[in-house]
Amino acid sequence: MTASGCEPYDLVVLGAGCAGIAGAVAADELGLTVALVDASAQTGGQFYRHPAPALGAVRPEALHHDWSAYRDLGRRLAASGVTHLAGHHVWALTRDDAATDAPAGATADAPWTVHAVTGPDGAEERPARVRARAVLLATGAYERQLPFPGWTLPGVVGAGGAQAMLKSGLVLPGRSVVVAGSGPLLLAVASSLAAAGARVPAVVEASGYLRYARSPRVLATNPHKAAEALVHGAALLRHGVRLRTRSAVTEVHGTDRVEAVTVTRLDRDWRPVRGTGRRIACDALAVGHGLVPQIELATALGCATRPVPDGTLALDLDAHQETSVRGLWAAGETGGVGGAALARVEGELAGLAAAARVRGSRVPAGRVRELRRRRDRMRAFAEVMAAAHAPGPGWPGWLTDDTDVCRCEEVTAGRVRAAVTELGARDARTVKLFTRAGMGWCQGRMCGTAVACLAARDGAAVEPPSERRPLAVPVPLSVLAGLEESGETEAS
Amino acid sequence: MARTPADLVGAQSDPPFEITFDGRRITALPGQSVAAALWGAGILAWRTTRDGGRPRGAFCGIGQCYDCLATVNGEPNRRACLVPARPGDAITTQEGHGHDRLGV
Ligand code: FES
């Protein structure tokens, strides 16, 4: 057991991205003892992912938008007393309610326990436990994928994945990379790939951009977002990248690796328009359809969720970022995907609110009012963005019966459809029981959306796949066995 | 215009070192993950699937998809996108669920 398992912190923050760092330093500055727990060796989360120090990057900001905001957070973190627990993969978060009746000295005033395994990929088999009086969940999001023929071929990578490997490892998946899918991330990915020396023959966006125009007020109050898009757009023009909207990559060609893709026009519902397919030569494809809030630690505790207009589920939060479970706050993408600037504001707000609760004081009204104003403005934009890039109902038209839907268990679209039409499955859970789709290593993170869409009956609304996973990351049995021996409630 | 990612950020890394992939020598930079080192050498696949025996490599790049599982120094099921490359590492293609040789 690590030493950190012994002393309860006032606040434990899960996730060291923008939201988590902002929350941790805000609470620290108000006098709380804070632990910042993250799987990576470095802070920054996915957005500010950057090369390891040994790579000696003199200009890390060249790969980033708004790097100065991260530098400021980093300075505050360095000046703080926050304990950064790097290389901690959290697999469960528990709340010991019974302990409130327990005698003094027990877990009564620190009911939360974070369970983690350590090491760069969690394989060190050294369990760690962190106790705290309050929790801030800032676990971010992962990329949403929609399958299509050939998407398992080497050279097809997540758009966010290509970005992550570039930012941390300074590598590219190929020399000529088509970027496809939907959402604002695509422009950012394409411009950084191009800046890093890749040829980007095309950016293929399934939506149009016209939906943004239907919300002029929200656009006008979020000028920084328009500016961001312009920066990326200008970079793409400079690199001669073509943007094709209302189109999708509907097939990947190649035997051992990507050699070309077929780009097809889509109708309003994202159904491929016959006869419009055009082949584009490339040696890699970076693809993604927006982001999914990573909230399983919270839903395992019964936290209320809300549907987001893009078809994902996010945590339902109150005016001060608290979930429906008392003492558990959330910030950033866990409350709906909205970007780094929003995450910083929400993290700060949550940190202030948690500090006030732990200390039994009032929230600093003026500062909170200002943060809430900024949050509401940016949240409104996030909702417009989510609606603009929501997958259209016709996307399963990209699939053939032998397209793998579940990458881990190699379950094809044909088998999922058979589970629905012949065996009567009507939701992702039943499909999973019949076919094993979503039962593999990634626990449905890659195929969840697709299976839920295929399982929905014609015309019925698709239920977002519920983010329920018994363990948030795979845990060696020896770790679980060790917990049993050492007792669950008291850190040894 | 920068021609490589390293040019773009002005990387002045510590000296490179060697690792092997299925016996073939490749160069890694300190601070790179095993997956990044493999990509750097133009290798995109280092696992074959259990059913179809299909090649796979890194996909999500952030530890979520488990497509990048590799055998690192004889230990299967390591996520190559998270594990840092170390001098002398022997990376081998992982077949199936990684325990085939154990017969489990
Ligand atoms: S690439 Fe997805 S887990 Fe490593």
Side-chain angles (χ1 to χ4, degrees), chain A residues 81-449:
Chain A
V82 172
T83 306
H84 176 208
L85 299 173
H88 278 56
H89 301 251
V90 176
W91 55 270
L93 171 63
T94 54
R95 194 193 144 95
D96 188 359
D97 290 317
T100 36
D101 305 326
T107 51
D109 82 327
W112 294 98
T113 307
V114 174
H115 302 272
V117 285
T118 55
D121 62 342
E124 240 168 51
E125 302 208 8
R126 205 160 49 77
R129 211 183 309 174
V130 185
R131 288 181 45 220
R133 298 187 170 85
V135 178
L136 169 54
L137 192 73
T139 42
Y142 55 90
E143 196 159 38
R144 173 162 57 186
Q145 295 295 342
L146 300 177
F148 49 90
W151 77 306
T152 54
L153 201 63
V156 180
V157 301
Q163 178 91 319
M165 295 279 287
L166 172 58
K167 284 178 178 177
S168 62
L170 303 179
V171 286
L172 298 166
R175 270 189 286 272
S176 173
V177 191
V178 168
V179 177
S182 191
L185 180 67
L186 300 186
L187 298 180
V189 169
S191 69
S192 51
L193 291 176
R199 205 173 73 81
V200 180
V203 175
V204 184
E205 160 66 58
S207 294
Y209 286 102
L210 284 178
R211 287 216 45 180
Y212 287 97
R214 285 193 220 147
S215 310
R217 207 181 57 82
V218 173
L219 289 187
T221 51
N222 286 276
H224 63 286
K225 282 290 179 188
E228 208 175 299
L230 281 180
V231 169
H232 293 313
L236 295 184
L237 277 181
R238 209 169 45 241
H239 292 292
V241 175
R242 294 201 46 188
L243 173 64
R244 287 162 191 262
T245 56
R246 297 212 164 282
S247 304
V249 168
T250 50
E251 192 174 358
V252 179
H253 311 278
T255 41
D256 295 326
R257 58 160 304 159
V258 175
E259 287 161 18
V261 298
T262 292
V263 173
T264 305
R265 299 259 321 148
L266 302 179
D267 70 11
R268 297 189 41 186
D269 288 337
W270 290 31
R271 239 176 296 273
V273 178
R274 281 173 146 258
T276 60
R278 287 192 40 189
R279 214 174 150 110
I280 299 181
C282 58
D283 59 4
L285 169 67
V287 65
H289 287 87
L291 303 174
V292 184
Q294 187 158 327
I295 58 176
E296 61 242 343
L297 291 169
T299 52
L301 288 155
C303 286
T305 55
R306 71 176 179 100
V308 182
D310 64 0
T312 61
L313 279 184
L315 294 175
D316 194 11
L317 305 173
D318 75 3
H320 291 138
Q321 303 292 128
E322 195 169 5
T323 68
S324 64
V325 170
R326 194 176 157 82
L328 175 59
W329 281 264
E333 319 292 46
T334 50
V337 171
L342 175 58
R344 286 196 299 273
V345 168
E346 290 190 343
E348 183 116 20
L349 195 48
L352 295 179
R357 174 77 54 75
V358 169
R359 295 165 62 96
S361 58
R362 299 173 83 87
V363 292
R367 198 161 154 209
V368 163
R369 203 174 315 120
E370 168 60 13
L371 288 168
R372 282 178 60 181
R373 199 180 55 76
R374 284 161 57 196
R375 179 196 59 190
D376 294 348
R377 168 171 60 75
M378 288 189 272
R379 265 283 157 226
F381 183 84
E383 299 288 300
V384 170
M385 190 175 77
H389 296 282
W395 76 261
W398 311 347
L399 302 171
T400 58
D401 269 352
D402 60 1
T403 308
D404 273 330
V405 168
C406 169
R407 298 174 70 93
C408 301
E409 295 292 320
E410 298 169 84
V411 181
T412 60
R415 278 175 59 205
V416 172
R417 282 177 173 146
V420 173
T421 55
E422 287 160 33
L423 303 173
R426 287 188 191 164
D427 56 24
R429 219 181 71 86
T430 317
V431 169
K432 171 170 156 177
L433 295 176
F434 286 145
T435 65
R436 292 193 60 82
M439 269 193 191
W441 283 296
C442 88
Q443 288 288 294
R445 285 182 180 89
M446 296 303 120
C447 68
T449 304

Side-chain angles (χ1 to χ4, degrees), chain A residues 446, chain B residues 57-69 79-82:
Chain A
M446 296 303 120
Chain B
F59 182 66
C60 75
I62 63 167
Q64 295 282 350
C65 72
Y66 292 75
D67 251 331
C68 67
L69 295 177
R79 276 174 286 172
C81 70
L82 299 184

